[in-house]
Structure formats: C-alpha cells, structure tokens
C-alpha cells in the first residue's frame, strides 16, 4: 500500500507540477484519515514523512499509567516496558507506537487515496488561480471542450475556462474542437473552486487584437482612446498618436489593410470603423459618425 501511495505522489508531482511539500502534507493527512478509521477518533495520532525511505509513518501516542482506564490513550507500565525496553520509563511518560501500515487495511488505503486526490485537486486549482489572477485583460487561446447550458467550456491546456452565453458573439456558433481566441475577462475565487471567465463579445477584446497586430500601439505611439461595439455587427475605435508623423488610423489599417483585415478575420467579418480621436467633442462626434454627413452639431 505504501509503495502505491508514494508512487502516486511521485506521478502527481511530475505530471501536475504541484510542490512536493503540498503533496507530502496531503499524504500525511491521508494516512491519518486511514489510521483513524482503524483506531477511532479518540486516538492520539501523528503522521511523519521519512525523507530517507520515502515512507509515511503513523505514530500512536499513549500515556503510561498503572491501571489502564482508556485503552485508546493509555498503556500500562508493564506493557510499555516490554515495548520500549527503557528502565527509566515511568508512569506519566508518553510513548509513541509505530503502527504497521498493513493494519490500516484495504478500505483505509482507499480512503487515503481519496484524500490525496482531493488535496491535489485543491492545490491544482490554487496553482491555476495563481497563474491567471494577474492575466485579466490578456488574450488566451484554447479549444472548445464542451457546451453546457449555452456556456462554452474551453480547454486552456492545464485548466478549464468558461465563456458565458452573454460573453459570446451572437450568431457565432462554436463547436467542440474549435480553436478560439478570447479575452480573460475575470478570474473568480468561488466556493466550488476558481473560475476563469472568458469573453469574445467585450469591447476590450477588439482593442487587444489591435494591440497585437499594430506595433505602434504596443510601443505606445498610437493609443486606442475609445471603443464602441455591437458584437458580431460593428465596432468603432477611436485612436490618437503621440507622434505627429504617425497617422493613427493608417497605422491601424496597415499596408493594403493587412492589419485591420487580420482583426476582421478573427472577428469573423465583423465590420470595423477606425476614426481619429479629438479633444474637441464636435470634431470627434463628426468623425465618429462617418460615413454619415453631419449637418449641424
């Protein structure tokens, strides 16, 4: 049983990348759970990991007494001397008895495994949360694993994320196996675990796609000042430039429209209007309403 449990720990450490200390703690807790099924809840037990052998030892502590009244916590002086062979042992002392792992039994071993699995899942979720909590607003790519009640569950290799129905683009039908690029909208810590929420309908999704395609945006020469979006139909973005020699609209459109077309393709032919931003609200409104002609403001 011990060989099997230790092997499980080694496999999980290698495959899941969870810290060894967390795994050892889980194994100790598992063995204590198994031992309590055998010895009862009143027993004073402790689990210790042996670094040299790679095994877990479960120790039962008992107090040496003249007359045993509680066999779960007490041991007679005569019996204690027979075990410890220590002439200085006297009543009131506490001794530790090493429990043979074979005594824990098959059912207890299965319980130990279940505790390990649960603790590993908790540590796994914590690692996922730690890895994603600082990635809000970033683009990620994953594969559609399943669709549950309208929500799309996406596989991000080491974790699962969900794209709620409200964050999906209307008329954009996703199928199992599709590769999707999404915006990390939120990372929530909930009672059932950590949840990564993705979006393809959020205006920031378009902004991040442009930031990836347009080097001037990445270098902070061109800035996206505002985004308005009706997901699946049309998006308008307003841009400005810190450099008078750089045309912000031209930079986003790219040579022969190659940059904006890359974004349009990702958005599955959603129309995109790029307009120059202006501090003057009159000029800005007129530009934003193009191609409509403004007769009066």
């Amino acid at each position: 049983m011990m060989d099997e449990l230790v092997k499980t720990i080694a496999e999980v450490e290698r495959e899941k990348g969870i810290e060894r200390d967390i795994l050892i703690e889980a194994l100790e807790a598992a063995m204590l759970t198994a031992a309590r099924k055998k010895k009862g809840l009143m027993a004073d037990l402790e689990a210790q990991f042996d670094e040299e052998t790679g095994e877990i030892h479960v120790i039962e502590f008992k107090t040496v007494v003249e007359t045993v009244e509680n066999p779960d916590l007490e041991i007679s002086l005569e019996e204690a001397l027979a075990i410890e062979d220590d002439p200085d042992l006297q009543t009131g002392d506490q001794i530790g008895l090493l429990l043979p792992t074979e005594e824990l039994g098959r059912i207890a071993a299965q319980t130990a495994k279940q505790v390990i699995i649960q603790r590993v899942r908790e540590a796994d979720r914590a690692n996922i949360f730690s890895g994603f909590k600082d990635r809000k607003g970033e683009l990620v790519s994953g594969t559609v694993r399943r669709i549950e009640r309208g929500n799309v569950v996406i596989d991000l290799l080491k974790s699962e994320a969900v794209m709620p129905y409200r964050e999906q683009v209307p008329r954009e039908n996703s199928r199992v196996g599709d590769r999707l690029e999404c915006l990390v909208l939120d990372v929530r810590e909930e009672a059932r675990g950590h949840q990564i929420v993705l979006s393809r309908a959020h205006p920031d999704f378009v902004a991040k796609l442009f930031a990836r395609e347009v080097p001037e945006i990445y270098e902070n020469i061109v800035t996206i000042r505002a985004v308005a979006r009706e997901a699946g139909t049309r998006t308008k973005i307003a841009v400005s430039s810190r450099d008078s020699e750089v045309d912000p609209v031209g930079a986003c459109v790219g040579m022969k429209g190659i940059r904006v077309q890359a974004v349009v393709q990702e958005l599955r032919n959603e129309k995109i209007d790029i307009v120059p931003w202006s501090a003057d609200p009159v000029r800005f409104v007129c530009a934003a309403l193009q191609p409509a002609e403004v007769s009066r403001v």
Side-chain angles (χ1 to χ4, degrees):
M1 183 191 66
M2 282 306 304
D3 291 343
E4 194 173 345
L5 288 173
V6 172
K7 189 183 297 183
T8 301
I9 287 293
E11 288 176 359
V12 171
E13 181 182 8
R14 182 177 63 255
E15 294 175 8
K16 295 289 186 180
I18 299 173
E19 292 182 12
R20 183 169 176 271
D21 290 346
I22 294 175
L23 297 175
I24 291 174
E25 183 184 341
L27 181 54
E28 290 176 343
M31 292 305 295
L32 276 179
T33 301
R36 290 195 187 285
K37 278 191 172 288
K38 185 73 176 179
K39 290 293 183 177
L41 298 177
M42 296 300 296
D44 185 6
L45 303 173
E46 181 179 308
Q48 297 176 353
F49 181 74
D50 190 326
E51 294 284 352
E52 294 183 1
T53 64
E55 293 185 348
I56 284 286
H57 298 304
V58 179
I59 301 170
E60 182 180 16
F61 292 98
K62 291 189 176 185
T63 302
V64 179
V65 294
E66 287 288 349
T67 304
V68 175
E69 296 180 358
N70 185 349
D72 288 334
L73 299 174
E74 298 172 343
I75 187 172
S76 68
L77 178 60
E78 182 182 357
E79 188 178 355
L81 287 171
I83 295 172
E84 289 289 329
D85 192 23
D86 181 359
D88 296 327
L89 198 64
Q90 55 187 350
T91 57
D93 290 346
Q94 193 175 55
I95 65 170
L97 308 174
L98 186 64
L99 295 182
T101 54
E102 292 77 12
E103 283 189 13
L104 301 182
R106 185 180 298 274
I107 296 176
Q110 187 63 32
T111 302
K113 279 189 177 182
Q114 292 300 321
V115 172
I116 291 175
I117 291 170
Q118 181 62 30
R119 293 293 292 273
V120 166
R121 282 177 182 167
E122 292 172 0
D124 210 4
R125 291 191 190 109
N127 281 347
I128 292 168
F129 180 73
S130 177
F132 274 91
K133 67 180 180 180
D134 297 325
R135 296 187 64 185
K136 288 165 64 170
E138 291 186 13
L139 295 178
V140 293
S141 183
T143 304
V144 176
R145 176 172 289 182
R146 62 185 181 276
I147 298 173
E148 297 178 345
R149 298 187 295 276
N151 299 326
V152 179
V153 179
I154 297 176
D155 183 7
L156 301 177
L157 293 181
K158 289 188 175 182
S159 62
E160 277 189 352
V162 62
M163 183 165 59
Y165 180 77
R166 65 181 179 277
E167 297 300 335
Q168 299 168 34
V169 177
R171 298 179 297 279
E172 188 177 86
N173 297 320
S174 301
R175 298 179 180 179
V176 174
D178 285 355
R179 189 82 179 168
L180 293 181
E181 194 145 24
C182 306
L183 177 79
V184 179
L185 187 63
D186 198 6
V187 182
R188 301 169 184 165
E189 190 169 6
E190 301 178 346
R192 293 179 300 171
H194 309 297
Q195 187 179 58
I196 303 165
V197 183
L198 305 180
S199 174
R200 282 179 60 84
H202 199 280
D204 286 350
F205 179 54
V206 181
K208 289 296 181 181
L209 288 174
F210 270 103
R212 185 182 64 185
E213 297 294 335
V214 182
E216 289 86 348
I217 294 178
Y218 180 79
E219 294 167 2
N220 292 322
I221 298 172
V222 173
T223 303
I224 297 176
R225 294 296 192 116
V227 182
R229 187 181 186 203
E230 186 178 339
T233 304
R234 183 184 293 272
T235 293
K236 282 182 181 282
I237 68 170
V239 292
S240 65
S241 175
R242 295 173 54 190
D243 189 336
S244 58
E245 295 184 2
V246 176
D247 173 21
V249 176
C252 292
V253 171
M255 187 73 69
K256 296 182 180 180
I258 189 170
R259 291 175 178 175
V260 71
Q261 283 304 314
V263 176
V264 169
Q265 186 175 358
E266 176 60 41
L267 297 177
R268 301 183 183 179
N269 297 320
E270 183 175 315
K271 292 182 175 65
I272 297 178
D273 296 334
I274 306 170
V275 301
W277 180 85
S278 175
D280 179 0
V282 174
R283 293 180 61 187
F284 183 35
V285 167
C286 290
L289 291 175
Q290 289 179 355
E293 293 184 8
V294 178
S295 59
R296 184 165 58 92
V297 178

